[in-house]
Structure formats: C-alpha cells, structure tokens
Amino acid sequence: MNNMFRRHQLIIYLSLRLLSIVLGTAVLFTIIMEALTLLEQMSPILARHLGWIGIAHYMGLRLPLLFSSVLPLSMLIGTIVMLTQLTLNNEVTILKAAGLSSVGFISKLLPATLLLGVICFIFHDQITPRSELNLAIWWNKTDPTPEKGKGFYFYQNLDIISVDYIAYGGNMIKGVTIYKRKDLSHLESIFSAETAQYTNKQWNLSNAKALHIAPGVPLEFTKLTKPEEMIWDTSLTPRALVGLSMPSLPQSLQTMLNQLSNAAEPFRVPTNTIKTTIWARLFIPIMFIVMLIIAIPVTSIPPRAGLKSWLPVYCLGAGLLFIIFQEVLRALGKAGTLPAPIAVIPSLLIFILAASAIILMIEEKT
C-alpha cells in the first residue's frame, strides 16, 4: 500500500488540489446563482404563503440544476487557478526540471478530470431530472390559480393531446382534447373532455364528447355516456404530465431513449432536440478533458512574469470561446440544421487539436 501511494503520490497530490479548487469554485458559483434565483422567486413563494419552509424547499430542489450548470465553467476556472498557483510557487518549474512535460501534466490530472466529468454526468442524468420534476410538481400543487397556467400539447403514438392547464400536481387536467390520427396526414376522430381526473391509476373523463371523421358520418360532436367511454386508455401518469407541461425540463438518458424507441412514450420536444441532448450528455467527460487541455498552457508562464502574464486570461478566453462555439453547434443540432453527432463531436475535436498544437508550439520555444 505504501509503495503504491509513493508511486502515485504526485497524481494524488495534483488530483486533490484540482478537486478542492474546482468543487470550491462550483460551490461559490452555485451560492451566487441560488441568491439570484431566490431574488426572482421570493415574491411568488411568499404570495403562496409557503414561508421560510417553502423558500428552503425551493432552494434545495433547485440546487442540483444550478450546481451541474456551473460545474463545467468551474472546471475551466479552477484548473487555470490551480496551475497558476503551481507556477507562481515554482512547483511547475521543479516538476519540469524532473522531466514532467505538458503531456505529463495532462496524464497526472486526467483521473481527477474524468471524476469531475462523471460527477457532472450523474447530476445531469439522474439527480437534476428528478429534482426539477419534483420542483415542478410541488410548484403546481401549491399554485392557488392553476387556471392561469399556459396550455400545451404533446404526442403519444399518432395522437396529439392538447391541454388547457393542469392542477393538483398533474392529477387533474382541465380542458383536454385528443386528436386521433390514422397516420401523419389523416385525422380519424376527436375526443374532448371538460376535465380528466387521475384516480385508481386511470384517467376518468367528465363531460366528454367525440367526433368521428368518416365518409357519410355527420361532422358533429356526440356526448359520451357509457362508463367505459369515460375512461382514457393511456399509460400517462401525473408525474409524466407535469414533465410534459415544461418543455425545458431536464430528462434522463433512459427517458429520452424511450421517447425515441417507444411510440407509446409521450413526448413534447422535437426528436432532433432529444438526439442532440443524448449525444451532448454522453460526451460530458470529454468536455472536461477539453477544459483541462485548454488550461495546460498556463504552466508555461515565465517565472519572472508572475501575475503580470496574460496567459491565464488567454486560456480563460479560449475556454469561454469553446463553450460558446459548442452551444452554437448544439443549437443548430436541436433545430435540425445539423445531425446530432455533427452538432456535438466537431467542437470537441477542434479545440483538442487547437489547444494541443499551441502546447507543442510553446514547448518547442522553451
């Protein structure tokens, strides 16, 4: 055990420093974002008479989204800060004199970088979708005026379902209309109901009527009276309904893959958006490696330059340019202009190659 510790002592030392600085930066950014978000939502929370318990509940459920959102930027800033500290303390000079190159720095910091990438992936894929959905359900349950909510629609199989608004955490739908289609171009029937209540794991309709579209059939609604006709046969649950009411709600990989492969799985956002999000989610650890490579040139700050060097600023600018370029390509992918893999992978490759070329140029000069 002691021999293994000595063999990997440098990796452990650099990894612990990187983890502490990056996570500390992420916590600081998260606190700032929590404060700004709370300033925006304080009035609605107090208007619902939720008090300090409601404020604490809101902050707790919003925490995973804010933390996972700032973690990539914290990786960039934290790595630059750590490498700058090592350089100013002459630790980089000592390590380079011992034969450690820029590639060596990358290899020593790679385990901690991948760990941070995996942490970010877990937050994006498992923790954030659950917390945001729970927040949306709680927000809907405590809404004193749900009728002021916006209407929305979603797809299930070939059906198009329109909803005026939902209440009681998604257990009641007000104003539901189901457009049943034979195919993408032909409408078969329309079912409309004043309300839909979720009881005993099924949706019960009230004041329902139907219009059947067929040759020789009058185009008029007929009221449904039979008990079996007042049951909406669907696998939709109140939790899924709340998620569908918010198109920007994060989703797990399993949910997104089900939406692409299972026609019975209800979905709202376009398939291009789902595919691009899946590809971006899978490459989160690689994105953290790109941040590490972009920050590595900081180790080449001349010892006499100290804090007067502009190299950390240039690395920070390159990292921000990478984030912006990446988001532009992803937006094109979500819009269907680019295929999902092309919207995600090229930005990673371009900046890996560009940063690697800069590192080699700096090493040749030194």
Side-chain angles (χ1 to χ4, degrees):
M1 181 67 69
N2 290 334
N3 291 334
M4 183 179 297
F5 177 79
R6 290 173 183 174
R7 193 182 310 125
H8 302 291
Q9 189 171 2
L10 182 58
I11 295 177
I12 295 171
Y13 171 70
L14 294 176
S15 298
L16 290 177
R17 287 199 65 168
L18 181 64
L19 289 172
S20 61
I21 294 176
V22 171
L23 293 177
T25 305
V27 170
L28 179 61
F29 283 163
T30 302
I31 292 172
I32 295 173
M33 294 296 292
E34 278 274 29
L36 294 175
T37 305
L38 190 59
L39 286 175
E40 182 182 357
Q41 297 295 333
M42 179 74 79
S43 296
I45 293 174
L46 295 179
R48 298 182 182 199
H49 306 289
L50 300 174
W52 291 106
I53 295 178
I55 293 173
H57 189 67
Y58 177 88
M59 293 176 63
L61 291 176
R62 182 45 59 92
L63 183 63
L65 176 67
L66 299 178
F67 179 78
S68 60
S69 300
V70 302
L71 194 53
L73 181 59
S74 300
M75 172 66 192
L76 174 66
I77 296 175
T79 307
I80 293 174
V81 170
M82 187 203 74
L83 294 177
T84 302
Q85 289 177 349
L86 292 177
T87 304
L88 296 179
N89 294 335
N90 295 321
E91 294 177 74
V92 170
T93 304
I94 296 171
L95 292 173
K96 285 188 175 181
L100 190 66
S101 63
S102 297
V103 177
F105 270 104
I106 295 174
S107 64
K108 301 297 183 186
L109 291 170
L110 197 58
T113 302
L114 288 175
L115 177 60
L116 289 168
V118 170
I119 291 173
C120 188
F121 174 85
I122 293 173
F123 266 86
H124 274 286
D125 192 64
Q126 297 296 322
I127 300 176
T128 300
R130 289 185 174 92
S131 64
E132 285 297 295
L133 181 56
N134 289 333
L135 175 60
I137 293 172
W138 172 73
W139 197 249
N140 183 264
K141 282 182 177 179
T142 58
D143 190 356
T145 56
E147 63 276 2
K148 294 182 180 179
K150 295 182 180 179
F152 62 95
Y153 68 93
F154 59 92
Y155 300 92
Q156 188 174 28
N157 292 317
L158 291 174
D159 299 348
I160 303 176
I161 297 95
S162 173
V163 173
D164 288 348
Y165 66 88
I166 59 177
Y168 306 112
N171 285 279
M172 189 190 78
I173 304 175
K174 192 71 173 180
V176 56
T177 305
I178 307 166
Y179 300 90
K180 290 188 170 294
R181 297 182 294 177
K182 295 179 182 178
D183 50 49
L184 295 177
S185 304
H186 296 86
L187 193 63
E188 185 179 49
S189 58
I190 301 175
F191 291 87
S192 177
E194 183 178 336
T195 59
Q197 191 77 30
Y198 191 77
T199 53
N200 298 324
K201 296 184 179 181
Q202 66 181 15
W203 290 98
N204 299 296
L205 306 176
S206 62
N207 294 329
K209 53 187 179 179
L211 185 149
H212 297 279
I213 300 173
V217 178
L219 290 177
E220 58 183 18
F221 281 94
T222 56
K223 191 172 182 179
L224 302 179
T225 56
K226 297 180 180 179
E228 61 271 16
E229 294 177 332
M230 305 300 287
I231 297 176
W232 180 17
D233 185 18
T234 179
S235 60
L236 183 69
T237 63
R239 287 182 63 86
L241 182 64
V242 174
L244 292 168
S245 68
M246 305 183 68
S248 59
L249 201 70
Q251 295 178 319
S252 66
L253 278 177
Q254 182 179 357
T255 301
M256 291 187 289
L257 290 173
N258 288 340
Q259 290 175 346
L260 292 177
S261 61
N262 186 4
E265 187 74 18
F267 69 96
R268 181 178 176 183
V269 297
T271 55
N272 293 320
T273 301
I274 298 174
K275 292 177 182 178
T276 303
T277 304
I278 290 174
W279 278 87
R281 184 78 51 81
L282 293 174
F283 279 87
I284 285 177
I286 307 300
M287 179 180 66
F288 276 68
I289 296 176
V290 176
M291 296 291 192
L292 171 63
I293 296 174
I294 289 175
I296 285 296
V298 174
T299 59
S300 300
I301 296 176
R304 294 182 180 180
L307 292 175
K308 295 180 181 179
S309 175
W310 284 84
L311 202 50
V313 179
Y314 296 150
C315 292
L316 178 60
L320 295 176
L321 180 62
F322 165 66
I323 293 174
I324 294 171
F325 183 66
Q326 180 179 244
E327 290 302 320
V328 170
L329 288 185
R330 289 180 183 179
L332 293 174
K334 292 177 180 178
T337 306
L338 293 176
I342 304 301
V344 175
I345 298 176
S347 61
L348 301 172
L349 293 177
I350 289 171
F351 277 84
I352 286 177
L353 296 175
S356 300
I358 293 172
I359 292 171
L360 292 175
M361 288 173 57
I362 293 176
E363 291 216 332
E364 286 181 1
K365 290 182 180 180
T366 56

